[in-house]
């Protein structure tokens, strides 16, 4: 544990660099909006690998009308009868939008395959069709970035344990997450097979070492920024107007409204 703590990025340096990178993300967002670019960022990895925390830092200061998170629930009965990629297509960005997929169509290569939620034939069909699907996106002008967050078995176990003990993060842990511990090697084999078929030149996989969450967040954001030829868009010139003189408006008496109790006064 001593070695692990020594390798953790100090908070002060982390927060300073995170703020700088988030400022650049805002510039990237404005370039996407003005240029009409369509961007898709895929976040994949094992349970508790740090995807959610990274997505939170990426989107924290972005305009939700430009950058949105797609975290799809399990498919409905109707969706199960559709072409597999169909329900993901409707979440793809239009011009001037960024979509961050918190897990994506790669569910079929991971949890669905390992846990038996799809047939072997469906899994093999996915591995054949996925590169074609992604090449179509790229050929149509979509900027596609795919990040795999890689966490060790010991660190994953520690994170699961901390979630079990933390009432604020307990909701992050599901029976399926815990079951993944007993399928560690099966998930590893599934990931390796997925990489062989879908790590293509048009849409390569980028692996993020994520045992140290702070390093993982900074590394992923820095790489994303370096991979896009964005430029700073000059903001519009705005001036704060003078407040006009009163025309006689009077606020209604307070007793006509129901106010939230001042809980803070009791602290």
């Amino acid at each position: 544990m001593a070695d692990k703590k020594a390798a953790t990025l100090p908070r002060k340096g982390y927060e300073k660099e995170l703020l700088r990178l988030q400022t650049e993300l805002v510039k990237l967002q404005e370039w996407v909006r003005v240029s009409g670019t369509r961007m898709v960022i895929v976040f994949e990895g094992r349970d508790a690998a740090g995807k959610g925390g990274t997505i939170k830092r990426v989107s924290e200061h972005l305009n939700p009308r430009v950058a949105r998170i797609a975290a799809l629930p399990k498919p409905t009965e109707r969706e199960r009868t559709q072409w597999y990629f169909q329900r993901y297509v409707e979440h793809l960005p239009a011009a001037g939008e960024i979509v961050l997929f918190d897990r994506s169509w790669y569910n079929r290569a991971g949890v669905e395959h390992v846990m038996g939620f799809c047939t072997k034939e469906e899994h093999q069909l996915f591995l054949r069709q996925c590169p074609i699907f992604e090449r179509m996106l790229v050929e149509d002008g979509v900027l596609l970035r795919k990040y795999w967050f890689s966490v060790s078995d010991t660190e994953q176990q520690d994170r699961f344990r901390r979630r079990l003990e933390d009432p604020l993060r307990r909701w992050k842990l599901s029976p399926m997450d815990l079951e993944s511990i007993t399928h560690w090697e099966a998930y590893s084999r599934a990931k390796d097979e997925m990489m062989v078929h879908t790590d293509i030149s048009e849409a390569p996989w980028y692996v993020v070492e994520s045992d140290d969450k702070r390093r993982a967040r900074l590394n992923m954001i820095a790489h994303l920024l370096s991979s896009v030829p964005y430029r700073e868009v000059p903001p519009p010139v705005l001036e704060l107007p003078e407040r006009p003189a009163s025309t006689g408006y009077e606020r209604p008496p307070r007793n006509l409204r129901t106010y939230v109790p001042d809980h803070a006064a009791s602290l």
Side-chain angles (χ1 to χ4, degrees), residues 119-131:
T119 65
K120 291 181 179 180
E121 292 74 19
E122 288 172 331
H123 175 243
Q124 290 302 310
L125 181 61
F126 169 83
L127 294 178
R128 290 197 302 272
Q129 289 187 342
C130 184

Side-chain angles (χ1 to χ4, degrees), residues 8-251:
T8 301
L9 194 66
R11 178 175 292 277
K12 185 176 181 180
Y14 160 73
E15 291 180 346
K16 180 179 179 181
E17 179 62 6
L18 178 62
L19 180 60
R20 186 189 74 81
L21 293 174
Q22 288 177 325
T23 302
E24 290 299 314
L25 283 172
V26 172
K27 297 177 184 178
L28 170 66
Q29 167 197 260
E30 286 304 292
W31 173 80
V32 166
R33 183 183 64 82
V34 171
S35 66
T37 299
R38 292 169 292 161
M39 177 177 287
V40 171
I41 309 173
V42 170
F43 294 80
E44 288 288 345
R46 295 179 186 272
D47 299 314
K51 302 180 296 298
T54 304
I55 292 171
K56 181 178 180 180
R57 272 67 181 185
V58 169
S59 62
E60 188 171 8
H61 299 290
L62 301 185
N63 183 346
R65 293 182 178 86
V66 176
R68 68 179 187 273
I69 300 169
L72 277 60
K74 66 180 182 180
T76 64
E77 289 302 316
R78 180 176 182 274
E79 288 172 333
R80 292 178 192 276
T81 68
Q82 297 174 344
W83 176 49
Y84 177 72
F85 294 93
Q86 187 169 336
R87 75 188 192 116
Y88 295 100
V89 168
E90 62 186 68
H91 292 275
L92 293 175
E97 296 179 349
I98 303 171
V99 176
L100 294 79
F101 277 95
D102 185 357
R103 294 198 181 277
S104 64
W105 46 89
Y106 282 100
N107 277 340
R108 176 135 296 178
V111 62
E112 289 191 16
H113 172 52
V114 173
M115 303 306 296
F117 298 151
C118 69
T119 65
K120 291 181 179 180
E121 292 74 19
E122 288 172 331
H123 175 243
Q124 290 302 310
L125 181 61
F126 169 83
L127 294 178
R128 290 197 302 272
Q129 289 187 342
C130 184
I132 300 172
F133 173 66
E134 292 181 351
R135 286 190 180 101
M136 291 174 64
L137 295 180
V138 174
E139 287 174 1
D140 202 58
V142 174
L143 292 184
L144 175 59
R145 299 294 182 269
K146 304 186 305 190
Y147 292 96
W148 177 271
F149 286 74
S150 178
V151 65
S152 66
D153 52 353
T154 54
E155 178 62 21
Q156 185 194 52
Q157 191 91 355
D158 287 344
R159 291 177 185 177
F160 281 162
R161 186 175 296 108
R162 290 195 294 270
R163 288 181 181 183
L164 276 173
E165 298 169 353
D166 186 346
L168 296 180
R169 294 189 296 170
R170 178 64 181 79
W171 63 269
K172 290 186 174 183
L173 203 57
S174 70
M176 188 69 66
D177 295 333
L178 298 179
E179 193 171 351
S180 69
I181 296 175
T182 62
H183 293 82
W184 179 270
E185 290 191 359
Y187 273 105
S188 295
R189 294 188 182 96
K191 182 262 294 182
D192 292 344
E193 185 176 10
M194 175 196 78
M195 291 285 188
V196 167
H197 288 84
T198 63
D199 188 16
I200 58 177
S201 59
E202 298 89 342
W205 276 106
Y206 298 104
V207 178
V208 182
E209 296 286 355
S210 61
D211 273 13
D212 182 343
K213 290 184 178 181
R214 295 174 188 171
R215 290 179 188 273
R217 293 164 186 167
L218 298 185
N219 291 342
M220 179 268 152
I221 297 173
H223 179 272
L224 172 66
L225 292 168
S226 70
S227 74
V228 180
Y230 72 97
R231 58 177 176 80
E232 184 171 1
V233 178
V237 178
L238 302 175
E239 292 185 6
L240 190 66
E242 295 292 332
R243 187 175 296 279
S246 172
T247 58
Y249 169 78
E250 294 186 7
R251 186 175 180 177

